[in-house]
PDB file of all heavy atoms in Angstrom:
ATOM      1  N   THR P 230     292.911  40.192 -93.300  1.00  0.00           N
ATOM      2  CA  THR P 230     293.876  41.232 -93.652  1.00  0.00           C
ATOM      3  C   THR P 230     295.143  40.755 -94.295  1.00  0.00           C
ATOM      4  O   THR P 230     295.711  39.666 -93.907  1.00  0.00           O
ATOM      5  CB  THR P 230     294.310  42.022 -92.318  1.00  0.00           C
ATOM      6  OG1 THR P 230     293.187  42.552 -91.647  1.00  0.00           O
ATOM      7  CG2 THR P 230     295.370  43.082 -92.446  1.00  0.00           C
ATOM      8  N   GLY P 231     295.564  41.282 -95.347  1.00  0.00           N
ATOM      9  CA  GLY P 231     296.772  40.920 -95.981  1.00  0.00           C
ATOM     10  C   GLY P 231     296.679  39.830 -97.138  1.00  0.00           C
ATOM     11  O   GLY P 231     297.633  39.541 -97.781  1.00  0.00           O
ATOM     12  N   HIS P 232     295.505  39.316 -97.195  1.00  0.00           N
ATOM     13  CA  HIS P 232     295.335  38.219 -98.180  1.00  0.00           C
ATOM     14  C   HIS P 232     295.188  38.681 -99.683  1.00  0.00           C
ATOM     15  O   HIS P 232     295.356  37.863-100.500  1.00  0.00           O
ATOM     16  CB  HIS P 232     294.228  37.266 -97.853  1.00  0.00           C
ATOM     17  CG  HIS P 232     294.592  36.288 -96.739  1.00  0.00           C
ATOM     18  ND1 HIS P 232     293.908  35.038 -96.721  1.00  0.00           N
ATOM     19  CD2 HIS P 232     295.508  36.334 -95.816  1.00  0.00           C
ATOM     20  CE1 HIS P 232     294.493  34.401 -95.771  1.00  0.00           C
ATOM     21  NE2 HIS P 232     295.466  35.082 -95.244  1.00  0.00           N
ATOM     22  N   PHE P 233     294.895  39.899 -99.778  1.00  0.00           N
ATOM     23  CA  PHE P 233     294.939  40.404-101.158  1.00  0.00           C
ATOM     24  C   PHE P 233     296.250  41.300-101.302  1.00  0.00           C
ATOM     25  O   PHE P 233     296.389  42.411-100.916  1.00  0.00           O
ATOM     26  CB  PHE P 233     293.647  41.377-101.475  1.00  0.00           C
ATOM     27  CG  PHE P 233     293.477  41.441-102.957  1.00  0.00           C
ATOM     28  CD1 PHE P 233     292.570  40.898-103.684  1.00  0.00           C
ATOM     29  CD2 PHE P 233     294.296  42.426-103.608  1.00  0.00           C
ATOM     30  CE1 PHE P 233     292.347  41.017-105.041  1.00  0.00           C
ATOM     31  CE2 PHE P 233     294.144  42.711-105.051  1.00  0.00           C
ATOM     32  CZ  PHE P 233     293.241  41.957-105.734  1.00  0.00           C
ATOM     33  N   GLN P 234     297.250  40.642-101.806  1.00  0.00           N
ATOM     34  CA  GLN P 234     298.503  41.251-101.880  1.00  0.00           C
ATOM     35  C   GLN P 234     298.662  42.397-103.133  1.00  0.00           C
ATOM     36  O   GLN P 234     297.914  42.280-104.091  1.00  0.00           O
ATOM     37  CB  GLN P 234     299.547  40.183-102.121  1.00  0.00           C
ATOM     38  CG  GLN P 234     299.596  39.145-101.059  1.00  0.00           C
ATOM     39  CD  GLN P 234     300.526  38.010-101.337  1.00  0.00           C
ATOM     40  OE1 GLN P 234     301.351  38.012-102.231  1.00  0.00           O
ATOM     41  NE2 GLN P 234     300.333  36.919-100.788  1.00  0.00           N
ATOM     42  N   THR P 235     299.528  43.288-102.811  1.00  0.00           N
ATOM     43  CA  THR P 235     299.812  44.267-103.857  1.00  0.00           C
ATOM     44  C   THR P 235     300.257  43.656-105.136  1.00  0.00           C
ATOM     45  O   THR P 235     299.878  44.229-106.250  1.00  0.00           O
ATOM     46  CB  THR P 235     300.854  45.335-103.369  1.00  0.00           C
ATOM     47  OG1 THR P 235     300.294  45.961-102.197  1.00  0.00           O
ATOM     48  CG2 THR P 235     301.114  46.291-104.320  1.00  0.00           C
ATOM     49  N   SER P 236     300.992  42.566-105.081  1.00  0.00           N
ATOM     50  CA  SER P 236     301.392  41.863-106.341  1.00  0.00           C
ATOM     51  C   SER P 236     300.219  41.482-107.179  1.00  0.00           C
ATOM     52  O   SER P 236     300.435  41.345-108.351  1.00  0.00           O
ATOM     53  CB  SER P 236     302.319  40.688-105.906  1.00  0.00           C
ATOM     54  OG  SER P 236     301.511  39.686-105.124  1.00  0.00           O
ATOM     55  N   PHE P 237     299.067  41.110-106.494  1.00  0.00           N
ATOM     56  CA  PHE P 237     297.954  40.782-107.207  1.00  0.00           C
ATOM     57  C   PHE P 237     297.424  41.875-108.217  1.00  0.00           C
ATOM     58  O   PHE P 237     296.931  41.694-109.280  1.00  0.00           O
ATOM     59  CB  PHE P 237     296.801  40.353-106.385  1.00  0.00           C
ATOM     60  CG  PHE P 237     296.935  39.258-105.474  1.00  0.00           C
ATOM     61  CD1 PHE P 237     296.078  38.869-104.426  1.00  0.00           C
ATOM     62  CD2 PHE P 237     298.082  38.303-105.560  1.00  0.00           C
ATOM     63  CE1 PHE P 237     296.206  37.787-103.706  1.00  0.00           C
ATOM     64  CE2 PHE P 237     298.207  37.285-104.774  1.00  0.00           C
ATOM     65  CZ  PHE P 237     297.259  36.933-103.812  1.00  0.00           C
ATOM     66  N   ILE P 238     297.576  43.066-107.759  1.00  0.00           N
ATOM     67  CA  ILE P 238     297.273  44.369-108.441  1.00  0.00           C
ATOM     68  C   ILE P 238     297.995  44.432-109.779  1.00  0.00           C
ATOM     69  O   ILE P 238     297.498  44.494-110.865  1.00  0.00           O
ATOM     70  CB  ILE P 238     297.284  45.568-107.745  1.00  0.00           C
ATOM     71  CG1 ILE P 238     296.363  45.661-106.460  1.00  0.00           C
ATOM     72  CG2 ILE P 238     296.958  46.823-108.464  1.00  0.00           C
ATOM     73  CD1 ILE P 238     296.633  46.736-105.537  1.00  0.00           C
ATOM     74  N   SER P 239     299.256  44.190-109.542  1.00  0.00           N
ATOM     75  CA  SER P 239     300.248  44.206-110.742  1.00  0.00           C
ATOM     76  C   SER P 239     299.821  43.099-111.653  1.00  0.00           C
ATOM     77  O   SER P 239     299.845  43.336-112.858  1.00  0.00           O
ATOM     78  CB  SER P 239     301.753  43.984-110.286  1.00  0.00           C
ATOM     79  OG  SER P 239     302.037  45.104-109.386  1.00  0.00           O
ATOM     80  N   ALA P 240     299.597  41.928-111.216  1.00  0.00           N
ATOM     81  CA  ALA P 240     299.202  40.854-112.101  1.00  0.00           C
ATOM     82  C   ALA P 240     297.912  41.143-112.893  1.00  0.00           C
ATOM     83  O   ALA P 240     297.862  40.854-114.093  1.00  0.00           O
ATOM     84  CB  ALA P 240     299.154  39.526-111.292  1.00  0.00           C
ATOM     85  N   ILE P 241     296.924  41.592-112.176  1.00  0.00           N
ATOM     86  CA  ILE P 241     295.602  41.812-112.776  1.00  0.00           C
ATOM     87  C   ILE P 241     295.748  42.956-113.811  1.00  0.00           C
ATOM     88  O   ILE P 241     295.128  42.885-114.899  1.00  0.00           O
ATOM     89  CB  ILE P 241     294.612  42.129-111.652  1.00  0.00           C
ATOM     90  CG1 ILE P 241     294.248  40.989-110.802  1.00  0.00           C
ATOM     91  CG2 ILE P 241     293.299  42.799-112.283  1.00  0.00           C
ATOM     92  CD1 ILE P 241     293.378  41.180-109.639  1.00  0.00           C
ATOM     93  N   GLU P 242     296.498  43.918-113.648  1.00  0.00           N
ATOM     94  CA  GLU P 242     296.727  45.095-114.544  1.00  0.00           C
ATOM     95  C   GLU P 242     297.797  44.903-115.552  1.00  0.00           C
ATOM     96  O   GLU P 242     298.192  45.761-116.380  1.00  0.00           O
ATOM     97  CB  GLU P 242     297.078  46.376-113.800  1.00  0.00           C
ATOM     98  CG  GLU P 242     295.848  46.801-112.929  1.00  0.00           C
ATOM     99  CD  GLU P 242     296.073  48.272-112.410  1.00  0.00           C
ATOM    100  OE1 GLU P 242     296.294  49.162-113.326  1.00  0.00           O
ATOM    101  OE2 GLU P 242     296.217  48.446-111.260  1.00  0.00           O
TER     102      GLU P 242
END
Side-chain angles (χ1 to χ4, degrees):
T230 301
H232 273 210
F233 197 101
Q234 299 168 20
T235 298
S236 60
F237 294 172
I238 299 175
S239 299
I241 288 170
E242 292 189 65

